[in-house]
C-alpha cells in the first residue's frame, strides 16, 4: 500500500520504550512523552496525553509491557494483577482498555511464578506490538467497508476518531479517508466538541494534514447546519457499543443522532469489534465517565464561567440503537438486528485473532 505509514503516529514503541504523542498540546506542539511503567501510563491515559478508545487500549498493552520488566520472579502473577488494576482504573467508558488488558492477561496462562521475568517482558512486548499492528489493519478494513456507504456528499463527524484516537488511520476518519482515497470528493464538518475540543484541536488538524476539506462548527450549530446545508451522513466513533447496538461516544453525539433522524440523514458508527461489549446488554449498562468541572468552567486554563457555578461534565453519552443507521466493523456493516449482527462480528473477530 502506498500510504503504509500513518501521517500521524500517536503511539511509538522504539527500542523497548513507550512514547506517546502528547495530544494535550496539539495542534500547537508535537512532542512525545515517555512512559516508564504502568502508573505513568495510567496517568497519561487519565490526563488525556493519549485518548480515543482504541489508542487507550493499545497504550495500556504497552504499559503492561514496560511494567513487565519490573515483575519479580516468584510474584509475577500478583505483579501483573497490580499493574492491570492500575491501568484498568484509568478511564471507565472505553471498553478497549479492558479488552487490551484481557488480551495481555491471556499470556499469563502460560507463565509460572518461577519464570524468568525477562522472558515474560519479551512476550508482553511482542503481544503489545501485535495489538498495535492489528489495530491499524482493522481500521483500514473498517474504513473500506464504511467507504461503500458514502456517495460523495458532505459528512459530519464529532470528536476525534482519527489516527490520533487509534494506533493509526482512524475509525470514523478511516471511513472518511477511505472514501476520499477511493476518489470521492466532499467536505467534512467537524464539530468543535466542547468541552475538550477534540474536534477543533485534533480532527481539524488531522483532516487538514490529509488534504480533506474540513469546516469547523461549534456543537450548537449542528441543527442549523442540517437545516441549511446538504449533508449526506454523520460518521462517528464509539467508546463502547452495547450488545443491542446502543452506542456510547463523546458527549454531544446523541443530540447529533436525533437531529440526523429529524433531517433524514444517515447516522453511522465506526466500531471495531474491540469496542463492542457484549457483556453490556444495553447502553444503560455502560459506565459514563464524569470529568473535572474545570474542563467546563475554564478554556486553556482561563476561567470563563462565573465563580461557584455548579457543573455537570459527563464525557460521553449513549445514542439509542434506533437512531443508528448502521454499525461499521472490520468484518462488515451491521444494519437492523444489532443483537444478532454484533454478536456475529465479535465472534468473527475472535476467530480471526486465534
Ligand atoms: O474523551 P476522548 O477524547 O477519549 O473520547 C474519544 C471519543 O469519544 C471517540 O469518538 C471514541 O473514542 C472513538 S475513537 C476511534
Amino acid at each position: 500500500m502506498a500510504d503504509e505509514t500513518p501521517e500521524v503516529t500517536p503511539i511509538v514503541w522504539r527500542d523497548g520504550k513507550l512514547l506517546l504523542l502528547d495530544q494535550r498540546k496539539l495542534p500547537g506542539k508535537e512532542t512525545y512523552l515517555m512512559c516508564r511503567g504502568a502508573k505513568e501510563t495510567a496517568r497519561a491515559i487519565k490526563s488525556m496525553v493519549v485518548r480515543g478508545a482504541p489508542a487507550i487500549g493499545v497504550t495500556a498493552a504497552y504499559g503492561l509491557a514496560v511494567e513487565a520488566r519490573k515483575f519479580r520472579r516468584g510474584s509475577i502473577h500478583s505483579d501483573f494483577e497490580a499493574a492491570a488494576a492500575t491501568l484498568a482504573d484509568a478511564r471507565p467508558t472505553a471498553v478497549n482498555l479492558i479488552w487490551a488488558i484481557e488480551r495481555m492477561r491471556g499470556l499469563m496462562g502460560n507463565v509460572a511464578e518461577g519464570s524468568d521475568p525477562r522472558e515474560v517482558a519479551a512476550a508482553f512486548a511482542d503481544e503489545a506490538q501485535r495489538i498495535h499492528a492489528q489495530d491499524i489493519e482493522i481500521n483500514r478494513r473498517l474504513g473500506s467497508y464504511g467507504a461503500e456507504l458514502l456517495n460523495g456528499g458532505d459528512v459530519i463527524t464529532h470528536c476525534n476518531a482519527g489516527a490520533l484516537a487509534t494506533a493509526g488511520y482512524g475509525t470514523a476518519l478511516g471511513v472518511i479517508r477511505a472514501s476520499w482515497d477511493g476518489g470521492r470528493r466532499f467536505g467534512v464538518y467537524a464539530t468543535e466538541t466542547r468541552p475538550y475540543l477534540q474536534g477543533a484541536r485534533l480532527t481539524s488538524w488531522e483532516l487538514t494534514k490529509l488534504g480533506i476539506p474540513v469546516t469547523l462548527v461549534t456543537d450548537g450549530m449542528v441543527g442549523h447546519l442540517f437545516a441549511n446545508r446538504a449533508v449526506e451522513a454523520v460518521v462517528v466513533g464509539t467508546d463502547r457499543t452495547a450488545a443491542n447496538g446502543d452506542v456510547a461516544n463523546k458527549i454531544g453525539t446523541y443530540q447529533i443522532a436525533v437531529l440526523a433522524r429529524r433531517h433524514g440523514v444517515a447516522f453511522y458508527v465506526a466500531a471495531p469489534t474491540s469496542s463492542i461489549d457484549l457483556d453490556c446488554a444495553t447502553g444503560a449498562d455502560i459506565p459514563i465517565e464524569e470529568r473535572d468541572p474545570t474542563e467546563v468552567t475554564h478554556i486553556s486554563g482561563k476561567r470563563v464561567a462565573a465563580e461557584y457555578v455548579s457543573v455537570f461534565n459527563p464525557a460521553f453519552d449513549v445514542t439509542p440503537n434506533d437512531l443508528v443507521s448502521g454499525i461499521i466493523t472490520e468484518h462488515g456493516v451491521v444494519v437492523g438486528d444489532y443483537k444478532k449482527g454484533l454478536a456475529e462480528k465479535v465472534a468473527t473477530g475472535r476467530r480471526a485473532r486465534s
Side-chain angles (χ1 to χ4, degrees):
M1 245 174 277
D3 59 341
E4 202 68 53
T5 312
E7 293 79 356
V8 171
T9 312
I11 304 161
V12 175
W13 180 253
R14 188 184 300 143
D15 304 328
K17 293 193 171 67
L18 172 59
L19 301 166
L20 300 174
L21 177 59
D22 191 342
Q23 299 191 27
R24 298 169 305 182
K25 303 207 167 120
L26 292 174
K29 263 194 207 151
E30 282 181 62
T31 51
Y32 283 82
L33 194 109
M34 195 192 299
C35 296
R36 295 174 190 80
K39 276 199 186 123
E40 272 184 28
T41 309
R43 241 192 326 268
I45 293 172
K46 220 178 260 219
S47 65
M48 309 285 272
V49 171
V50 61
R51 32 64 52 202
I56 291 173
V58 174
T59 300
Y62 279 127
L64 287 169
V66 283
E67 185 68 25
R69 294 197 203 109
K70 302 178 200 163
F71 290 174
R72 295 151 303 170
R73 201 191 284 265
S75 64
I76 291 181
H77 282 263
S78 55
D79 289 350
F80 169 81
E81 289 308 331
T86 302
L87 284 158
D89 237 25
R91 291 190 76 189
T93 305
V95 72
N96 302 63
L97 179 61
I98 306 298
W99 179 93
I101 292 170
E102 285 312 310
R103 245 185 92 168
M104 300 300 277
R105 182 176 274 116
L107 297 180
M108 292 303 289
N110 305 322
V111 175
E113 280 297 15
S115 303
D116 182 343
R118 282 172 305 189
E119 281 171 21
V120 178
F124 270 42
D126 286 350
E127 183 69 349
Q129 285 174 279
R130 251 191 307 276
I131 292 173
H132 189 160
Q134 283 168 359
D135 188 64
I136 297 173
E137 180 53 31
I138 282 167
N139 293 336
R140 287 183 180 278
R141 291 175 56 141
L142 186 156
S144 62
Y145 281 117
E148 287 170 26
L149 300 169
L150 303 180
N151 299 301
D154 287 351
V155 170
I156 296 180
T157 191
H158 184 57
C159 192
N160 172 266
L164 287 168
T166 62
Y169 198 74
T171 60
L173 290 197
V175 170
I176 287 166
R177 42 194 298 195
S179 176
W180 183 268
D181 291 344
R184 301 208 191 273
R185 291 295 170 258
F186 56 93
V188 178
Y189 291 100
T191 49
E192 177 189 39
T193 318
R194 274 282 286 154
Y196 211 76
L197 307 181
Q198 289 92 333
R201 296 189 305 106
L202 309 176
T203 299
S204 55
W205 182 69
E206 275 198 44
L207 288 171
T208 305
K209 262 177 165 312
L210 291 168
I212 300 176
V214 53
T215 303
L216 185 62
V217 292
T218 68
D219 301 5
M221 294 173 185
V222 173
H224 185 79
L225 179 59
F226 275 122
N228 290 282
R229 299 262 174 111
V231 173
E232 182 191 346
V234 178
V235 188
V236 295
T238 177
D239 293 84
R240 191 184 301 224
T241 287
N244 71 340
D246 289 348
V247 172
N249 191 47
K250 180 52 56 192
I251 192 73
T253 303
Y254 175 33
Q255 65 205 29
I256 298 174
V258 172
L259 283 162
R261 175 57 52 89
R262 159 94 187 171
H263 291 274
V265 171
F267 180 90
Y268 295 118
V269 177
T273 53
S274 55
S275 299
I276 298 168
D277 185 357
L278 298 180
D279 290 336
C280 285
T282 74
D285 301 317
I286 299 176
I288 299 295
E289 177 183 14
E290 286 189 31
R291 294 186 60 86
D292 196 291
T294 57
E295 288 182 358
V296 177
T297 54
H298 290 62
I299 293 179
S300 303
K302 194 169 179 295
R303 176 175 272 278
V304 290
E307 296 272 2
Y308 310 119
V309 69
S310 71
V311 169
F312 178 42
N313 185 20
F316 302 96
D317 60 26
V318 174
T319 299
N321 59 11
D322 61 309
L323 294 176
V324 177
S325 312
I327 298 181
I328 311 158
T329 78
E330 71 274 28
H331 301 295
V333 182
V334 180
V335 179
D337 188 347
Y338 290 121
K339 199 157 178 244
K340 181 164 171 279
L342 293 179
E344 277 169 11
K345 299 302 179 206
V346 169
T348 309
R350 283 198 189 118
R351 273 199 305 277
R353 280 191 300 279
S354 64

